């Protein structure tokens, strides 16, 4: 048994705390970092242990200018990413010149019973300082009774120098358990880190 | 002061730390199974400045009714806090024949004590139809300010629509809110609601 080391004002090597101490319930399941990668897939950790999962996207940077960041679901542990989805998409944007603003529904960016990848950030810029960040909630993916709802928000420095905030929601129209999720650009590669959290005790 | 005992690789008898561990603290979960309502009457106090409710597989037993909530300042004896709210939504049908993105003037409240809607109809016409979402409630224990809240709720609406509703508003009271109730506009429902405090 290793000794517990006292390290200034902290204790290193501690792996558990007493039950009386309130611990965080936003539990990190895994994280993956893309570095000029075609996609990131989470093929483990999505199961019946938790009822709500949260993906956090940190500085997603497209290597190709003005392409969309997308995701899809799998019911066969990642062999296929092709779950049927019906979704909504709306966005708010303004350009850096302050001459173009909108709050609008995106009729070409939603899905109606489609197995295609869903856009969650549109026309991302590839300049060295351009990136996007956001999150996606996925509710009870392991249910074999109900469809699988998701809600996403994403802020993006767009390729034509716009600030774009996108809101995407919908459901994977399947009663099979969803057990894998893939993120990729509509074309080309990307950089960035994606964290998968579980809302513990949910 | 009791000694802190080192127990293998854990610290025994420690009851508090001088820093927060994580961001969410689970307080309570309740599951409805053909239930009329779910009420959280304990755990909402000054311990946390922000509370988050997660709604998992909310399924109405009566078709075309709306899921709703209200606050209490008397520990659940009455759910009738005055509220002014906004609600907007985006809609898309499975046939790709209809979309909508609009303010929902029939779903908001203006200084009303009635229950606030999370969004559009929940329905029971198909076994796989349900809804998921969140509610964030800020500083319910304040005796100085009104009580703000934000909601997001995605619903598999009857007829085959995906409906996302974003609501917000405030309980217009300077009394502490100490209970919250959730129910359908009529009839029973299934589903789980988990309540967290944010450190």
């Amino acid at each position: 048994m290793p000794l517990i080391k006292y390290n200034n004002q902290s204790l290193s090597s501690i792996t558990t705390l007493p039950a009386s101490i309130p611990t965080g319930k936003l539990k990190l399941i895994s994280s993956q970092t893309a570095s000029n990668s075609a996609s990131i897939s989470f093929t483990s950790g999505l199961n019946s242990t938790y009822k709500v999962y949260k993906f956090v996207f940190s500085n997603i940077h497209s290597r190709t200018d003005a392409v969309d960041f997308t995701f899809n679901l799998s019911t066969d542990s990642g062999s296929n990413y092709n779950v049927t989805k019906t979704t909504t998409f709306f966005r708010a944007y303004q350009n850096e010149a302050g001459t173009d603003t909108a709050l609008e529904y995106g009729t070409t960016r939603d899905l109606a019973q489609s197995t295609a990848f869903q856009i969650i950030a549109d026309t991302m810029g590839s300049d060295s300082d351009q990136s996007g960040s956001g999150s996606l909630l996925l509710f009870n993916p392991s249910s074999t009774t109900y469809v699988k709802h998701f809600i996403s928000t994403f802020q993006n420095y767009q390729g034509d120098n716009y600030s774009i905030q996108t809101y995407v929601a919908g459901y994977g129209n399947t009663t099979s358990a969803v057990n894998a999720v893939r993120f990729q650009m509509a074309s080309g590669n990307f950089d960035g880190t994606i964290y998968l959290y579980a809302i513990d005790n949910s | 002061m009791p000694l802190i005992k080192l127990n293998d690789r854990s610290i025994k008898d420690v009851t508090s730390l001088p820093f927060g561990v994580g961001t969410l603290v689970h307080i309570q979960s309740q599951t409805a199974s053909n239930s009329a309502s779910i009420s959280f009457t304990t755990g909402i106090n000054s311990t946390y400045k922000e509370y988050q409710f997660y709604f998992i597989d909310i399924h109405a037993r009566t078709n075309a009714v709306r899921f709703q909530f209200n606050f209490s300042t008397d520990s659940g004896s009455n759910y009738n806090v005055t509220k002014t709210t906004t609600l907007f939504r985006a809609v898309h049908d499975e046939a790709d024949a209809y979309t909508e993105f609009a303010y929902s003037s029939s779903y908001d409240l203006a200084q009303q004590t009635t229950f606030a809607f999370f969004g559009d109809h929940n329905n029971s016409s198909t076994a796989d139809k349900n809804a998921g979402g969140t509610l964030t409630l800020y500083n319910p224990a304040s005796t100085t300010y009104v009580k703000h809240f934000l909601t997001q709720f995605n619903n598999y609406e009857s007829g085959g629509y995906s409906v996302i509703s974003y609501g917000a508003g405030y309980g217009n009271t300077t009394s502490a809110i100490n209970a919250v109730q959730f129910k359908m506009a009529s009839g029973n429902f299934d589903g789980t609601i988990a309540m967290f405090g944010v450190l």
Side-chain angles (χ1 to χ4, degrees):
Chain A
M1 181 178 71
L3 289 174
I4 295 173
K5 303 169 190 169
Y6 293 88
N7 175 19
N8 192 11
Q9 295 191 26
S10 68
L11 290 165
S12 64
S13 302
I14 291 174
T15 56
T16 62
L17 289 170
S20 57
I21 295 180
T23 55
K25 298 301 181 184
L26 190 61
K27 185 171 184 175
L28 179 63
I29 304 297
S30 64
S31 65
Q32 297 187 56
T33 296
S35 179
N36 199 10
S37 307
S39 66
I40 281 181
S41 302
F42 290 87
T43 57
S44 62
L46 292 165
N47 50 50
S48 61
T49 305
Y50 306 104
K51 293 294 195 299
V52 183
Y53 290 85
K54 182 177 185 177
F55 295 91
V56 175
F57 310 101
S58 178
N59 289 329
I60 303 300
H61 172 76
S62 176
R63 292 292 183 115
T64 304
D65 196 37
V67 295
D68 302 321
F69 188 58
T70 68
F71 86 104
N72 212 333
L73 309 172
S74 171
T75 60
D76 54 12
S77 301
S79 296
N80 297 279
Y81 290 93
N82 58 0
V83 168
T84 299
K85 295 174 291 300
T86 295
T87 69
T88 56
F89 179 106
F90 67 91
R91 64 184 183 179
Y93 62 75
Q94 178 174 213
N95 64 350
E96 292 183 345
T99 56
D100 188 14
T101 62
L103 171 64
E104 62 185 15
Y105 188 89
T107 55
T108 62
R109 299 178 183 281
D110 57 8
L111 298 177
Q113 294 296 89
S114 170
T115 60
F117 277 64
Q118 170 63 50
I119 299 168
I120 53 175
D122 63 335
T123 56
M124 298 190 74
S126 63
D127 290 354
S128 59
D129 63 345
Q130 290 181 322
S131 67
S133 296
S135 65
L136 183 149
L137 284 172
L138 177 62
F139 294 89
N140 202 9
S142 66
S143 171
T144 54
T145 303
Y146 296 116
V147 303
K148 315 302 185 298
H149 290 278
F150 53 85
I151 300 172
S152 171
T153 59
F154 212 98
Q155 166 60 25
N156 171 30
Y157 190 175
Q158 192 260 7
D160 291 324
N161 298 330
Y162 282 68
S163 177
I164 297 190
Q165 187 179 13
T166 54
Y167 292 83
V168 177
Y171 49 85
N173 197 351
T174 177
T175 53
S176 298
V178 166
N179 48 25
V181 180
R182 172 170 286 180
F183 301 94
Q184 63 185 38
M185 306 305 300
S187 67
N189 293 349
F190 71 103
D191 308 304
T193 301
I194 304 175
Y195 301 88
L196 170 60
Y197 295 93
I199 310 296
D200 202 0
N201 288 106
S202 57
Chain B
M1 183 178 70
L3 288 173
I4 295 173
K5 302 169 189 170
L6 300 181
N7 177 18
D8 192 9
R9 293 168 67 86
S10 70
I11 303 177
K12 189 171 177 294
D13 296 339
V14 173
T15 56
S16 65
L17 291 172
F19 51 86
V21 182
T23 56
L24 291 178
V25 176
H26 179 248
I27 298 170
Q28 186 183 14
S29 293
Q30 296 189 55
T31 296
S33 179
N34 200 10
S35 306
S37 66
I38 282 181
S39 301
F40 290 86
T41 58
T42 60
I44 300 174
N45 49 48
S46 61
T47 304
Y48 305 101
K49 291 294 192 292
E50 177 182 335
Y51 289 81
Q52 292 182 359
F53 297 87
Y54 287 81
F55 306 98
I56 302 146
D57 291 340
I58 302 300
H59 174 76
R61 290 294 183 110
T62 302
N63 200 32
V65 293
R66 298 186 186 111
F67 195 53
Q68 54 185 7
F69 70 99
N70 212 333
F71 302 123
S72 171
T73 60
D74 54 13
S75 301
S77 296
N78 298 279
Y79 291 94
N80 57 359
V81 168
T82 299
K83 295 173 291 300
T84 295
T85 70
T86 58
L87 193 140
F88 66 94
R89 66 179 188 173
V91 182
H92 188 206
D93 71 335
E94 293 182 349
D96 203 16
Y98 180 82
T99 60
E100 175 187 322
F101 179 46
Y103 188 88
S104 301
S105 58
S106 59
Y107 297 162
D108 60 7
L109 299 176
Q111 291 297 92
Q112 290 168 269
T113 61
T114 52
F115 278 64
F117 294 127
F118 279 99
D120 222 325
H121 294 114
N122 198 288
N123 71 86
S124 62
S125 60
T126 307
D128 65 347
K129 285 187 167 66
N130 66 337
T134 66
L135 179 151
T136 303
L137 174 62
Y138 297 94
N139 201 8
S142 171
T143 54
T144 303
Y145 297 112
V146 302
K147 313 303 184 297
H148 291 280
F149 56 87
L150 300 169
T151 66
Q152 54 182 353
F153 204 75
N154 200 67
N155 182 28
Y156 189 176
E157 164 68 87
S158 58
Y161 295 82
S162 181
V163 183
I164 178 70
S165 300
Y166 291 92
Y170 51 87
N172 196 353
T173 177
T174 54
S175 299
I177 285 175
N178 47 25
V180 183
Q181 185 172 79
F182 304 95
K183 65 180 182 180
M184 291 293 165
S186 68
N188 294 348
F189 71 103
D190 307 306
T192 298
I193 304 175
M195 179 173 75
F196 295 84
V198 180
L199 285 173

